Amino acid sequence: MNRRKFIHLSALTAPLLTAKNVIANNKTAVTKPIVISTWDSGMPVNAEAWKILSANGTALDAVEAGAKHIENEINCCVGIGGYPDRDGIVTLDSCIMDHNANCGAVAGIERIKHPVSVARMVMEKTPHVILVGAGAQQFAVENGFKLEPETLSESAKKAYDQWLKKSEYKPVINIENIPQGQEPKKQNGPFAPNFFDDGSANHDTMGLVAMDASGNLSGAVTTSGMAFKIHGRVGDSPIIGAGLFVDNEVGAATSSGTGEEVIRICGTHLVVEFMRQGMAPELACKKAVERIVKRDKEKAKTLQVGFLAMNKKGEYGAYAIQKGFVFSVKSNSENKIHPSKFLL
Ligand code: ASP
């Protein structure tokens, strides 16, 4: 089910989901292992991670497998099938972090199918944290990753052609509220991004964090970033402390939305620090969202950012600026999509 469709459905079923239920869910300690991920597209991602977690595998292997799963979806929003930048080039951002604060990332990498695995290799095989652009690609190829063709996926080509009609540079993440009188255009495949007549596109960064049976946390993020961005633009997703942060004593957090706003406040690091102070994951995410909104409330009305976090007890929560952010949870006791609360 694509996200916009889910939002339609969730609006219909909203009365069933009382505030009390959401709070109760949020406070229920969940048996390890557990994996949570951004958006409804996190459901199959969680399922993949769960194969590893339920077989006593590590959270690190689980988050990599989950991220790779969505990177394989050719008509998806992340990976080489994602939307290109304004020059028609798909550039990918990804990072990974484990329970020992080991981390690796790639930014602006082109023509590589599994940026998350390159990020893991940066973490494990180099003394560095981030490789970018041509250097990241060179490192990947040297380490056996195949260079994929430059061609855009069917859905990306359609969206890009649409966008080219006006070529209007609007570097804002669209908000999930479907504009009045407009239906999202349907595309092929379960992960297919939708776009509207003006070419505005979904932003479906996959961020996931997992806790394994031994109680260790890891996280990963993978994305093609903001659609039709300036070539070379990097968002929050590959930045440790912005798009992802893991502290095995406290918890882990990830984000999706307008990366610039997340970077400005070191978003996921902030969320984890709020949890360190004793806040529940949902409240920690809310405080980070408030930090963004407080800086410029008018601007915030045009933005979307969602944070998603888990603490060491396996409690989880999310918060977004606007309505529409959803997240997916898989544990021994549940397998479902939750709507996030929102501020504006
Ligand atoms: N956070 C991503 C970025 O700014 C976009 C997204 O979440 O879709 O690149």
Side-chain angles (χ1 to χ4, degrees), residues 119-311:
R120 183 167 177 176
M121 210 169 258
V122 171
M123 171 174 102
E124 290 177 340
K125 287 200 167 178
T126 80
H128 308 301
V129 171
I130 309 183
L131 295 183
V132 305
Q137 189 192 68
Q138 183 186 330
F139 172 80
V141 170
E142 280 168 8
N143 281 284
F145 289 82
K146 185 177 150 224
L147 214 47
E148 303 292 335
E150 254 163 315
T151 40
L152 295 181
S153 68
E154 196 193 324
S155 58
K157 184 164 179 348
K158 233 168 158 181
Y160 184 56
D161 287 347
Q162 187 73 36
W163 179 80
L164 278 177
K165 286 184 188 159
K166 286 192 194 157
S167 301
E168 197 185 345
Y169 194 58
K170 266 200 303 192
V172 283
I173 294 288
N174 65 296
I175 297 161
E176 287 67 37
N177 294 330
I178 296 170
Q180 252 192 347
Q182 258 196 56
E183 283 297 320
K185 300 275 176 279
K186 290 242 161 47
Q187 304 212 17
N188 301 324
F191 293 110
N194 295 303
F195 63 94
F196 294 124
D197 290 337
D198 67 355
S200 68
N202 274 355
H203 56 98
D204 294 276
T205 293
M206 176 46 56
L208 68 160
V209 303
M211 180 159 59
D212 59 31
S214 351
N216 283 328
L217 291 163
S218 287
V221 181
T222 187
T223 189
S224 52
M226 188 183 268
F228 320 129
K229 60 199 174 188
I230 289 179
H231 184 63
R233 178 265 184 191
V234 173
D236 57 325
S237 306
I239 311 291
I240 300 297
L244 175 71
F245 196 69
V246 178
D247 183 323
N248 209 45
E249 286 181 2
V250 178
T254 187
S255 61
S256 186
T258 310
E260 284 72 6
E261 301 307 315
V262 178
I263 293 172
R264 242 186 271 289
I265 63 155
C266 297
T268 54
H269 183 261
L270 186 63
V271 170
V272 171
E273 289 308 300
F274 282 144
M275 290 197 287
R276 192 191 306 280
Q277 291 167 18
M279 289 181 207
E282 183 184 287
L283 182 59
C285 292
K286 183 179 183 206
K287 290 284 171 200
V289 166
E290 282 173 354
R291 186 76 64 93
I292 293 172
V293 172
K294 191 175 158 207
R295 200 179 71 86
D296 188 338
K297 193 161 181 197
E298 279 315 298
K299 188 176 174 200
K301 287 181 187 162
T302 67
L303 301 173
Q304 175 64 307
V305 169
F307 289 109
L308 172 64
M310 184 201 292
N311 66 17

Side-chain angles (χ1 to χ4, degrees), residues 10 27 35 78 97 110 131 138 140 150 197 231 260 330:
S10 67
K27 288 200 172 148
V35 55
V78 312
M97 188 166 190
E110 294 171 29
L131 295 183
Q138 183 186 330
E150 254 163 315
D197 290 337
H231 184 63
E260 284 72 6
K330 172 72 186 140

Side-chain angles (χ1 to χ4, degrees), residues 1 4-14:
M1 183 189 301
R4 287 189 193 281
K5 195 160 158 215
F6 170 75
I7 289 154
H8 270 317
L9 291 179
S10 67
L12 294 174
T13 56

Side-chain angles (χ1 to χ4, degrees), residues 22 29 58 60 83 100 109 118 123 151 155 202 211 221 268 313:
V22 173
T58 66
L60 182 64
Y83 286 176
N100 279 322
I109 194 168
V118 186
M123 171 174 102
T151 40
S155 58
N202 274 355
M211 180 159 59
V221 181
T268 54
K313 293 184 218 158

